[in-house]
């Protein structure tokens, strides 16, 4: 079972992004997803910059995948999508059906978590298009995964989002700009003020959601670290960690330690709790509301 680092979902400064991926090069992750998947107005790095980072990570022994934007809103977005699809060097993570259309039958691709692959017929239809790996939609749990793994097409890899704030929805409206009383087209890049998104609380002061530009995320952190053995038993090939502004590389090390049997899951989980911006959750994994935390059966592996 391998470990991946998902695409950066937040808007960081150019210097912070470059320093982050320089550190990733020496980390134990096997696969790194790169590119802007949320908002085309985030211009600190262009496609050429992402390709430069990709080549350096490839030279460091990482498998690199270029992620496409989830919500395509303009002709310029379509142009960038085609450039990513035709990059000629790296596999592509298709995050909408337009991206699938661009790569289908041409190059192997990863079916991203936003493609709504919720059942076996969809999975079996997508695989022959050239899908090399698929990412389980966040709302699906272990029972759904077990069913789909039973008859997944031969040679198709399965990846599961195992750690991070869950990307729940996308909108043409920028909620971060609206919060600052700014129009979307003059947002003044307010996302950069919130390196882990803008936390929303209920009237009872409970952490509820996170605003990340046009993306809405869970406030709680989806965490399947204690489920590593169960995920392996289900035949999962890759576990994905979503980057956060602090402690990401230590989180990678904890997952790696548990996956390699070098750390006990309870010990790693205890440290992991101190590295999260909010409480953890795993409800979707157990077929319950996503924000719930269900006590897993921990092992000492």
């Amino acid at each position: 079972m391998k470990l991946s680092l998902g695409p950066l979902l937040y808007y960081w400064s150019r210097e912070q992004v470059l320093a982050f991926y320089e550190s990733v090069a020496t980390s134990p992750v096997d696969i790194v997803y790169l590119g802007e998947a949320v908002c085309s107005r985030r211009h600190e790095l262009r496609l050429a910059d992402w390709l430069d980072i990709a080549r350096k990570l490839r030279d460091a022994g990482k498998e690199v995948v270029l992620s496409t934007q989830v919500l395509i809103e303009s002709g310029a977005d379509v142009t960038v999508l085609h450039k990513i699809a035709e990059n000629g060097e790296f596999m592509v993570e298709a995050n909408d059906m337009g991206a699938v259309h661009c790569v289908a039958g041409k190059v192997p691709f990863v079916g991203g978590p936003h493609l709504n692959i919720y059942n076996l017929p969809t999975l079996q239809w997508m695989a022959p298009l050239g899908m090399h790996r698929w990412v389980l939609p966040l709302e699906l749990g272990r029972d759904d995964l077990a069913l789909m793994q039973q008859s997944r097409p031969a040679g198709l890899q399965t990846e599961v989002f195992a750690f991070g704030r869950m990307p729940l929805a996308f909108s043409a409206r920028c909620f971060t700009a609206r919060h600052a009383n700014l129009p979307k087209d003059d947002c003044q890049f307010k996302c950069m003020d919130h390196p882990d998104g803008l936390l929303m609380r209920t009237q009872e002061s409970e952490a509820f959601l996170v605003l990340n530009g046009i993306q809405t995320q869970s406030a709680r952190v989806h965490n399947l670290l204690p489920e590593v053995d169960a995920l392996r038993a289900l035949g999962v090939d890759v576990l994905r960690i979503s980057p956060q502004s602090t402690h990401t590389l230590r989180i990678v090390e904890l997952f790696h330690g548990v996956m390699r049997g070098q750390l006990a899951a309870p010990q790693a989980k205890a440290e992991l709790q101190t590295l999260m911006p909010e409480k953890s959750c795993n409800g979707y994994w157990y077929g319950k509301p996503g924000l719930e935390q269900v006590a897993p059966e921990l092992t000492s592996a």
Side-chain angles (χ1 to χ4, degrees):
M1 192 158 59
K2 294 183 178 181
L3 197 57
S4 74
L5 196 64
L8 175 60
L9 300 180
Y10 305 108
Y11 197 25
W12 297 349
S13 70
R14 179 184 179 87
E15 293 74 19
Q16 187 177 1
V17 173
L18 295 178
F20 175 72
Y21 284 110
E22 185 175 345
S23 299
V24 168
T26 58
S27 74
V29 294
D30 304 287
I31 304 165
V32 183
Y33 291 82
L34 295 175
E36 180 53 57
V38 178
C39 179
S40 60
R41 286 184 56 79
R42 298 177 176 180
H43 289 156
E44 286 288 291
L45 279 81
R46 305 283 184 162
L47 179 57
D49 300 310
W50 289 116
L51 287 170
D52 285 343
I53 296 171
R55 294 178 186 120
K56 291 176 182 176
L57 288 171
R58 181 179 59 190
D59 291 344
K62 310 301 183 187
E63 176 188 329
V64 179
V65 183
L66 300 180
S67 296
T68 67
Q69 200 170 308
V70 176
L71 185 62
I72 304 296
E73 299 185 75
S74 68
D77 292 349
V78 174
T79 298
V80 172
L81 170 59
H82 280 283
K83 288 180 178 178
I84 293 172
E86 299 165 4
N87 78 88
E89 292 186 70
F90 303 100
M91 194 182 301
V92 173
E93 179 186 47
N95 279 312
D96 83 317
M97 289 306 296
V100 172
H101 178 74
C102 288
V103 296
K106 302 172 185 175
V107 294
F109 66 94
V110 178
H114 308 289
L115 287 184
N116 300 336
I117 302 175
Y118 289 124
N119 52 54
L120 271 171
T122 304
L123 190 66
Q124 293 164 345
W125 172 69
M126 292 282 291
L129 300 179
M131 190 165 67
H132 170 75
R133 183 165 61 244
W134 73 294
V135 185
L136 182 76
L138 291 159
E139 301 91 337
L140 297 189
R142 59 180 182 178
D143 294 342
D144 305 297
L145 177 60
L147 180 63
M148 296 178 78
Q149 289 289 81
Q150 288 175 7
S151 302
R152 68 170 167 172
L156 180 66
Q157 296 181 2
T158 297
E159 182 169 349
V160 172
F161 187 103
F163 182 89
R165 279 178 160 153
M166 295 179 286
L168 300 175
F170 293 79
S171 170
R173 174 174 290 175
C174 178
F175 298 109
T176 305
R178 184 176 177 86
H179 175 79
N181 293 317
L182 293 168
K184 179 181 178 181
D185 292 340
D186 185 25
C187 65
Q188 298 178 26
F189 307 108
K190 286 296 182 180
C191 284
M192 202 172 285
D193 295 340
H194 309 284
D196 286 302
L198 176 60
L199 181 65
M200 294 177 62
R201 295 186 180 275
T202 66
Q203 291 183 338
E204 293 77 24
S205 296
E206 294 270 345
F208 179 47
L209 294 171
V210 164
L211 303 182
N212 180 36
I214 67 170
Q215 182 188 67
T216 303
Q217 299 179 316
S218 63
R220 290 196 170 195
V221 180
H222 183 65
N223 175 23
L224 296 183
L225 175 66
E227 306 290 347
V228 164
D229 287 343
L231 288 156
R232 183 182 286 113
L234 285 168
V236 172
D237 300 281
V238 181
L239 299 185
R240 176 179 295 201
I241 293 174
S242 186
Q244 58 184 46
S245 65
T246 56
H247 309 305
T248 298
L249 297 186
R250 180 54 184 161
I251 293 165
V252 166
E253 290 171 354
L254 291 174
F255 268 84
H256 182 261
V258 173
M259 291 166 64
R260 297 296 179 267
Q262 299 164 349
L263 275 177
Q267 173 191 348
K269 180 189 175 187
E271 181 178 347
L272 193 58
Q273 296 286 356
T274 69
L275 307 179
M276 299 180 188
E278 277 293 334
K279 297 177 182 178
S280 64
C281 64
N282 60 6
Y284 282 142
W285 179 247
Y286 288 97
K288 298 181 180 296
L291 55 75
E292 290 190 11
Q293 176 64 41
V294 181
E297 296 180 3
L298 295 175
T299 71
S300 56

